[in-house]
Amino acid sequence: MRWPFVAISSSQSSPGIVYHANYLRYMERGRTNHLRLMGAEQQALFDQVETEGAGFAFVVRSMHLDFLKPARMDDVLDVVTWPVAVKGASIMLAQEVRRGEEVLVKAEVRVAFISGGRAQPIPKSIRALMKADLIS
């Protein structure tokens, strides 16, 4: 799923170049919007899970980044996010920050499902939604 945005001047490290840490923010927004872009209403999923147990969150367990090319001020960028594997209590996602078709940054992100302060199995409703989007 794609999430488009424009790199702004406050996101620069040197004149005209996007600061490397901002890619983490861009990718976080991409992951947050991933369910919404798939057509799911996040609040409805949260409400359904709340009735099944304690509150929950997805937290980043690990992340591997590969910075290939810099983005520049006013570039129109996309964050592309897709699930690679859905396991018991975690999801492996692939993400790319692109300028058009040009890949600037690649990431592999493992997010864990946390409920009641501990890793828990991902609820069936969320697991089914993520598995439906798996790219073979």
Side-chain angles (χ1 to χ4, degrees):
M1 299 288 172
R2 288 182 182 259
W3 174 67
F5 63 97
V6 176
I8 58 174
S9 60
S10 64
S11 302
Q12 298 175 40
S13 60
S14 61
I17 303 292
V18 173
Y19 182 59
H20 72 281
N22 285 304
Y23 292 103
L24 297 175
R25 290 185 187 102
Y26 303 156
M27 290 182 194
E28 177 66 27
R29 290 182 197 149
R31 289 189 304 276
T32 299
N33 285 313
H34 184 73
L35 287 175
R36 187 173 296 114
L37 291 173
M38 288 176 12
E41 292 186 32
Q42 285 185 335
Q43 191 59 50
L45 287 173
F46 294 161
D47 292 343
Q48 180 179 354
V49 172
E50 282 292 320
T51 62
E52 297 173 12
F56 76 94
F58 282 105
V59 297
V60 173
R61 170 70 171 87
S62 64
M63 179 180 262
H64 175 80
L65 295 161
D66 194 4
F67 297 95
L68 304 171
K69 297 179 181 180
R72 301 190 181 283
M73 182 176 64
D74 294 330
D75 279 352
V76 175
L77 305 174
D78 288 310
V79 174
V80 182
T81 304
W82 66 95
V84 175
V86 180
K87 297 188 178 180
S90 68
I91 301 169
M92 178 64 81
L93 298 167
Q95 290 190 283
E96 294 177 347
V97 177
R98 299 177 183 173
R99 179 178 44 228
E101 293 303 313
E102 183 178 32
V103 177
L104 306 178
V105 179
K106 290 183 177 186
E108 292 178 0
V109 185
R110 180 173 303 281
V111 294
F113 182 82
I114 304 294
S115 181
R118 298 176 46 177
Q120 300 288 333
I122 299 168
K124 291 179 185 178
S125 57
I126 297 174
R127 181 188 307 279
L129 186 64
M130 295 304 287
K131 282 189 174 183
D133 198 37
L134 282 175
I135 296 175
S136 302

